[in-house]
Amino acid sequence: MGLRDLFRRHTFEHGIHPPDHKALTAGLSIRRLPFAPYLVIPLSQHAGAPATPLVKKGQDVARGEPIAEANGFVSVPMHAPASGVVDDIRLMPSARGPKSLSIVIRVYEGSPQRVEYESPRNVDDMTPEQIVEAVQATGMVGLGGAAFPTHVKMRPPKEHTVDTVVVNGCECEPYLTCDHRLMLEKPDELIAGIKIALRATGAKRAVIGIEDNKMDAVEVLSARVRSEALIDVQAVPTKYPQGAEKMLIESLLHRRIPPGSLPSSVGVSVFNVGTLVQIGELLPTGRGLIERVVTVTGAGIRQPGNYLVPVGTPIRYLLEHVGANEPVHELILGGPMMGMSVAALDVPVTKAMSGMVVLPPPKQSKQLPVMACIRCAYCVEACPMHLNPSTLGLLATKREYQKMAADFHLNDCFECGCCTYVCPSNIPLVQYFRIAKAINRERAA
């Protein structure tokens, strides 16, 4: 089979194609970041209930040791990313804004930082139920940014049957390349993780979807799966938000998820490549998730790259290590389309943080004014969910939030930001929609 056969030109409708800025780091191998003097481990860095502390102030902890336990099925435990002593358990700044209860670890200087806690196992001997329990014990969440507990995805509702695992290797956000490098440097671990996901879900096949601006990854993985009957690789057109699970399922399988439904309703479970690489590494060893690969990039960085970073590393320390050009105009955690700007440097790297983009001041410092909607319909043409962002935006200015949800499908918006990107009137539409959904959630509580 030639490379031409790998292409499936079918893709979702609408979307955009912003400059990707990936050349800064796409060719750089993953490097390990040194341990910071202090690590901050938020107990709520995943969807679901926060974890419950297992340690006390002043207690010694070893690298890899469980320090917090899951609080229910939709929750995951935390593990010590480094050997040290628990300095405190207190409220600490978070990227979301409100302070979050966190375990602060003072890292031992000069420690070899070997992983002391592991429990090797033969995954081939495990039942699907045992695999799901073991995945929860690793503390694994979706590393693409959603931070949804992975073991929950592996156990779909009883009324749904999963026949296909979709492996998300698109990485469609501009600037980010950590998944790209993992596909190139960790193909065996990725395949091991895919096989574990197949066994856990009971799916009969897996499809790895990769955007066609990463053909080196397509070639590496195509060669690697040549002897794997259940795993296929497909290149999909490069456009944003190809990596959104609803979009990718439609591109690869021609299946559309009904509004308000899960991927399992159409027989699919979707996992990010970074997540499966970690599962392929952690499950056989019985270790917990204590570090992840983070893309650190942007014109404001002196040493851009992909770094293996202990969870809990303060981004201030990360910036000091890679070097930031002064002054820093904007710091975005995640990609520029769906990431969030942060004002404080004391927030830590979390399990969900795939990138950090640092931008210098723009050459034109004058901020463009927000103008009235001119009904050009560019946002309607860009929205991958076929919503009407123009009308939703007008309703948002009138604070008709419930009408937005009831009559104009506000909750189908997954905040990709395409509408804001194309708006010639500079209307911050996606910010309006985030506020509207938050207010509706508060009213419903």
Side-chain angles (χ1 to χ4, degrees):
M1 183 174 66
L3 281 180
R4 187 183 300 274
D5 300 318
L6 296 169
F7 285 86
R8 301 292 186 270
R9 302 312 302 179
H10 180 80
T11 185
F12 66 94
E13 296 177 344
H14 299 181
I16 58 176
H17 195 166
D20 62 27
H21 301 287
K22 293 178 183 283
L24 284 170
T25 57
L28 301 176
S29 299
I30 297 169
R31 290 172 283 176
R32 180 176 288 278
L33 192 81
F35 290 90
Y38 284 87
L39 300 176
V40 179
I41 320 299
L43 295 170
S44 180
Q45 48 182 308
H46 55 264
T52 304
L54 293 170
V55 294
K56 297 179 180 178
K57 181 178 178 179
Q59 180 177 334
D60 291 328
V61 294
R63 189 174 182 222
E65 177 180 348
I67 55 174
E69 62 182 353
N71 185 13
F73 181 63
V74 188
S75 181
V76 295
M78 306 292 169
H79 303 77
S83 296
V85 60
V86 176
D87 190 70
D88 205 350
I89 302 175
R90 64 177 185 269
L91 292 173
M92 294 291 289
S94 75
R96 296 176 181 173
K99 290 187 175 181
S100 175
L101 189 62
S102 306
I103 298 174
V104 182
I105 296 176
R106 177 161 51 85
V107 177
Y108 287 144
E109 291 185 18
S111 168
Q113 296 296 354
R114 287 188 293 269
V115 178
E116 305 285 355
Y117 279 74
E118 61 180 19
S119 179
R121 58 168 72 93
N122 186 346
V123 179
D124 292 337
D125 293 338
M126 299 171 69
T127 66
E129 291 75 19
Q130 289 172 328
I131 290 175
V132 171
E133 292 174 4
V135 170
Q136 183 179 19
T138 65
M140 180 58 61
V141 301
L143 300 187
F148 192 76
T150 303
H151 66 280
V152 180
K153 276 192 173 182
M154 289 181 165
R155 187 178 286 175
K158 292 181 179 178
E159 63 271 23
H160 295 164
T161 299
V162 171
D163 58 62
T164 304
V165 164
V166 165
V167 183
N168 187 350
C170 286
E171 200 165 51
C172 60
E173 273 268 12
Y175 286 99
L176 303 186
T177 58
C178 55
D179 286 353
H180 185 183
R181 292 308 311 179
L182 283 170
M183 288 188 284
L184 293 175
E185 299 180 38
K186 301 270 188 180
D188 290 340
E189 291 83 352
L190 174 57
I191 300 305
I194 292 172
K195 290 180 178 178
I196 290 170
L198 284 169
R199 291 194 55 214
T201 61
K204 303 302 181 187
R205 65 164 180 156
V207 184
I208 307 172
I210 306 172
E211 282 190 326
D212 57 14
N213 60 352
K214 308 175 190 65
M215 289 308 297
D216 51 354
V218 173
E219 293 179 38
V220 166
L221 291 175
S222 297
R224 179 60 185 78
V225 304
R226 199 161 289 150
S227 59
E228 305 286 350
L230 304 182
I231 306 174
D232 188 22
V233 178
Q234 291 187 19
V236 293
T238 297
K239 70 173 181 176
Y240 179 86
Q242 187 76 261
E245 60 183 14
K246 289 186 177 181
M247 310 299 86
L248 187 55
I249 289 171
E250 183 172 342
S251 293
L252 293 173
L253 306 176
H254 301 199
R255 301 180 192 176
R256 287 192 175 182
I257 303 174
S261 300
L262 299 170
S264 59
S265 68
V266 295
V268 182
S269 283
V270 184
F271 301 93
N272 165 264
V273 292
T275 306
L276 293 178
V277 166
Q278 282 285 350
I279 287 176
E281 287 186 340
L282 297 178
L283 221 62
T285 59
R287 294 182 178 179
L289 178 64
I290 56 175
E291 57 193 4
R292 65 155 300 152
V293 179
V294 178
T295 301
V296 185
T297 186
I301 291 293
R302 296 193 196 118
Q303 299 180 63
N306 290 291
Y307 293 90
L308 185 59
V309 183
V311 171
T313 300
I315 60 173
R316 182 189 302 278
Y317 178 84
L318 186 52
L319 275 179
E320 290 172 355
H321 184 78
V322 301
N325 297 318
E326 297 292 343
V328 171
H329 171 69
E330 188 169 17
L331 194 156
I332 302 168
L333 299 188
M337 297 301 296
M338 295 188 74
M340 60 179 72
S341 295
V342 291
L345 299 182
D346 295 322
V347 303
V349 171
T350 63
K351 296 178 180 180
M353 182 179 148
S354 54
M356 184 170 75
V357 182
V358 180
L359 302 174
K363 294 179 181 177
Q364 291 182 328
S365 58
K366 187 176 181 181
Q367 191 170 6
L368 296 174
V370 177
M371 296 177 287
C373 174
I374 58 175
R375 299 186 182 278
C376 62
Y378 286 174
C379 58
V380 177
E381 294 174 4
C383 179
M385 294 304 294
H386 299 266
L387 304 179
N388 188 331
S390 173
T391 300
L392 284 166
L394 292 171
L395 289 170
T397 60
K398 299 177 182 176
R399 301 186 178 185
E400 297 191 39
Y401 303 131
Q402 291 180 331
K403 185 174 183 179
M404 291 168 68
D407 298 341
F408 293 91
H409 309 286
L410 171 67
N411 292 329
D412 285 346
C413 169
F414 59 89
E415 303 170 18
C416 66
C418 288
C419 52
T420 300
Y421 182 85
V422 300
C423 180
S425 295
N426 309 309
I427 301 172
L429 291 163
V430 71
Q431 286 81 0
Y432 287 177
F433 305 157
R434 286 172 183 160
I435 292 170
K437 288 199 282 188
I439 290 176
N440 283 346
R441 283 195 297 269
E442 287 181 6
R443 289 173 176 172

